[in-house]
Amino acid sequence: MIKLIFRFREMLLVIIIAILLAVFSTRAPGFAKPGNLANIFNDSSILIILALGQMTVILTKSIDLSVAANVAFTGMIVGMLNATYPDVPLPAIILVALFIGAILGAINGLFVWKLNIPSIVVTLGTLTIYRGMAFVLSGGAWVNAHQMTEPFLQAPRHLFLGLPVLGWAAIIIVTVMYLVMSRTFLGRAIYASGGNPTAAVYAGIDVGRTRFFAFVISGTLAGLCGYLWVSRYAVAYVDIAAGFELDSVAACVIGGISTLGGIGSVAGAVLGALFLGVIKNALPVINISPFSQMAISGAVIIAAVIFNARQERRRGRIILRDRGASEQIEVVV
Amino acid sequence: MTQTVALEQSPEMPLLEMRGISKSFPGVKALNNVDITLYPGKVTALIGENGAGKSTLVKILTGIYACDEGEILVDGNPTVFANAQDAIDAGVTAIHQETVLFDELSVAENIFLGHAPKSRFGLVNWKAVNARALALLHSLESNIDPRIRLKDLSIAQRHLVAIARALSVDARIVIMDEPTAALSRKEVDDLFQIINRLKTNGKAILFISHKFDEVYEIADHYAVFRDGKAVGSGELAEVGQDEIVKLMVGRSVEHAFPKVDIALGETVFAVESYTHPTEFRDISFELRKGEILGIYGLVGAGRSELCQSLFGVTKPTGGKVRLNGKEIAIGSPGEAISAGIVYVPEERGRHGAVLQLPIYQNISLPSLTRTSRSGFLRAAEEFALARKYAERFDLRAAALSVPVGTLSGGNQQKVVIGKWLATQPNILILDEPTKGIDIGSKAAVHAFISELAGEGLSIIMVSSELPEIMGMSDRVLVMREGLSAGIYERETLSAETLVRAATGNASKS
């Protein structure tokens, strides 16, 4: 039943996105052409990847506010690496990005796992620290396009079947994450740890370790986005992706991932990110100011949260009935 | 206690009378036509097993529940306690096991929360609050500073603050629900001095405790409840402990749950001097194949904590555990499950199921290490496992892929039991397996437990219900305050011995 609602809900998002596209194309002819749609998808790729990392963490009843700072720090490292050592091949640079991102994620995860500090506190701290490290590393200087090598800048732009490699990267990550979440022990442990941590412990799942791995996944994906961001915008500086952590959370919330953990799907996170991508791309086309854009995104997020809350209340009924029953039992005992 | 005896007066007007009180909850009659009378300047001890109806009585007396039948008389006048405020207005105050106070507020704030003296402008008059708190504490011969925060006080001092709070609303009837549970002997003595002072001030006190020595030390009257009925009351000086124990357990404790006799196999599980830093100490027992070992004790005796530790949820500080003769160390529930030890927790709803996940994923959850290959899940095997146990328990669900949260409570229970049996354990630890289940289902659960034992499982069953313990167990380990109070063979079981061992007056009788 809940699953049906979810299917319905994800379908609902697809329909809403389709309606948006239709409305925008009446105002801006050509908006819904395949070429432009591929563009929108490509533009949303980084957000999609970050949202998937964020989803993994949120599913375990945690949150990762440091993803954007991770993008900035990793982006700065790979930018400077490329500028200083132009001979280092691109695959090595991408591996470095993944590795550094994973380390930053693991730091968050270790604090949450071993010291039992709430993730919102840990990542609020590391958010500042990681961006500060990017500043210390660069001394506040920018790495500009002319300092970077051709392959470094061009790799994500290569077209393959009409879609740039950046978009393909997102598609690959989506596929991998889908498999991880639905087909692996870790994926199941992530859902169980967020859905009912106590029951998960009793079922032999190490909840702390599962959260740790969720943060590592989130960090690794953020590291990848560090490279993708710097090469796409052909610049690395301390403030890149500022505020993007909130977009990644927003994409998850719009996509139906419960902030209480345990509920959500890869498809939801992707659709949530696409929804934000469509709005961001469409509003300037139909001459709506960036400030209205922000207000519209905000309104959509609140609407999504209300929708979520109503849904959880529906789900909560049985639990409440049980709680009532157990209270009465306690009275008797 | 000599000074109080001197102050006792001839029989006088009761301060509070409860007459013919009945209260039912769906499926259970919690209180059945009980009477209780409290006199000014007297302590009445309310005695009864878990489930005898003591808590329900307290909740009716404090206005949390309305009784179905019966009347309450205060000073001889019928009074209706429709809500908690009515009870407070009538002068009834309860001091609970874990006193309900606020850690971060000051002592004076705690005492006067909700009825603080106000200044002319309707603001709290802090000077008056502190002064009156100090006066109240002085009247209890305490020198606690009313301005310090509650969290800096000991548990005994907190009780004192709770009592001061009761006095601040001019309470005349003070209910103390197991006030000594967390106190040291010295603190108990201090508490008893306060109770004696309350007596001299003419308060009526309802004292609920499991500990007979304390009851005899402080109480004047007694009332014994069993299964929701008042089975005896009177002057405590006129009855011996043996009589009270008999009243408590009654003669109804026959073997109401006929256990299927099973030939016991070799010893499969042995625990030796098992010790936890805070919860239990020096516990030893053996468990044979096909055996049901009951663990009996009062709530808080450390039974669940022992089982959780055996399951790897908490770490012991000492002792040995042997499985099939080999010493093992269990560091986590995962290791316990792999070793074939499984724990079905007491709160099956909260600890058992992940409500958002589908039925089949819940059933397979503890078995995933078996059904997955190098980290990848195998859906076909998961479904096969789930189908097998869903059929065995006659699970009613539209499909195995619907979330457990959509099932009825009974069917959720079946999923939870199914998921543990799906791990194919050798040792099954059941914590209060029939808590909150109606009589009919209880029999089914008991038959099922016998069936499992017949299949060669060794079972450890924690229970607070004497008939269940006596009916189902081959042997019974009794725990008291974290210590073993003896292991009793089925042949020698008697309700009186078990209750004495659990309440701690075995040596005195």
Side-chain angles (χ1 to χ4, degrees), chain B residues 45-306:
Chain B
L46 180 55
I47 303 163
E49 273 196 288
N50 299 322
K54 293 171 297 179
S55 308
T56 309
L57 185 91
V58 169
K59 288 198 173 148
I60 288 172
L61 204 46
T62 50
I64 293 169
Y65 293 143
C67 50
D68 301 337
E69 286 165 44
E71 58 177 350
I72 304 174
L73 286 84
V74 181
D75 293 324
N77 305 317
T79 313
V80 177
F81 289 7
N83 53 45
Q85 192 58 46
D86 285 353
I88 293 169
D89 292 344
V92 179
T93 301
I95 296 163
H96 293 283
Q97 276 176 45
E98 287 131 21
T99 50
V100 195
L101 295 170
F102 301 89
D103 273 355
E104 293 295 331
L105 297 184
S106 77
V107 169
E109 282 170 301
N110 267 295
I111 293 174
F112 285 103
L113 193 73
H115 55 274
K118 298 270 168 56
S119 72
R120 252 183 309 159
F121 305 108
L123 299 172
V124 172
N125 182 350
W126 287 113
K127 229 168 152 180
V129 167
N130 285 326
R132 281 181 53 188
L134 195 66
L136 273 173
L137 292 165
H138 272 272
S139 75
L140 295 168
E141 285 175 34
S142 155
N143 49 10
I144 299 173
D145 180 350
R147 280 163 304 186
I148 65 171
R149 277 201 256 182
L150 191 80
K151 63 175 177 185
D152 297 325
L153 299 184
S154 72
I155 292 172
Q157 286 175 312
R158 284 165 194 234
H159 274 295
L160 204 91
V161 173
I163 291 166
R165 178 171 170 80
L167 297 180
S168 76
V169 293
D170 206 21
R172 296 186 303 152
I173 298 148
V174 180
I175 303 164
M176 297 190 174
D177 194 353
E178 299 208 40
T180 61
L183 299 187
S184 70
R185 185 61 232 183
K186 168 79 180 58
E187 291 171 326
V188 171
D189 287 340
D190 292 345
L191 180 72
F192 283 0
Q193 276 191 22
I194 294 166
I195 293 178
N196 281 321
R197 223 166 287 134
L198 295 176
K199 279 168 72 169
T200 42
N201 291 338
K203 314 283 184 201
I205 294 155
L206 184 65
F207 184 85
I208 300 173
S209 175
H210 285 297
K211 297 175 187 161
F212 287 111
D213 47 351
E214 292 177 3
V215 166
Y216 272 91
E217 198 177 327
I218 195 72
D220 309 293
H221 297 270
Y222 70 93
V224 181
F225 280 17
R226 186 198 332 129
D227 302 329
K229 296 192 194 88
V231 291
S233 62
E235 301 250 349
L236 201 55
E238 292 166 6
V239 290
Q241 294 192 13
D242 285 349
E243 275 173 75
I244 291 199
V245 169
K246 278 216 184 74
L247 284 173
M248 252 175 89
V249 296
R251 75 250 143 257
S252 66
V253 192
E254 279 122 38
H255 291 178
F257 307 91
K259 175 184 182 320
V260 180
D261 274 322
I262 291 149
L264 301 184
E266 71 282 12
T267 299
V268 287
F269 190 64
V271 173
E272 235 178 82
S273 321
Y274 203 62
T275 298
H276 182 276
T278 54
E279 302 299 340
F280 52 84
R281 191 152 40 91
D282 206 16
I283 304 288
S284 303
F285 64 86
E286 286 185 349
L287 187 65
R288 295 166 66 183
K289 195 173 164 70
E291 185 178 37
I292 300 175
L293 174 76
I295 302 187
Y296 180 71
L298 302 175
V299 170
R303 298 167 302 164
S304 298
E305 290 76 6
L306 169 69

Side-chain angles (χ1 to χ4, degrees), chain B residues 380-403:
Chain B
E381 289 201 15
E382 281 188 60
F383 264 107
L385 195 70
R387 200 165 298 126
K388 187 170 152 196
Y389 286 90
E391 271 166 26
R392 174 160 187 184
F393 293 111
D394 190 24
L395 184 73
R396 306 270 161 82
L400 290 175
S401 53
V402 303

Side-chain angles (χ1 to χ4, degrees), chain A residues 138-152:
Chain A
S138 63
W142 294 34
V143 181
N144 288 307
H146 65 89
Q147 294 166 278
M148 301 179 199
T149 61
E150 270 302 292
F152 183 90

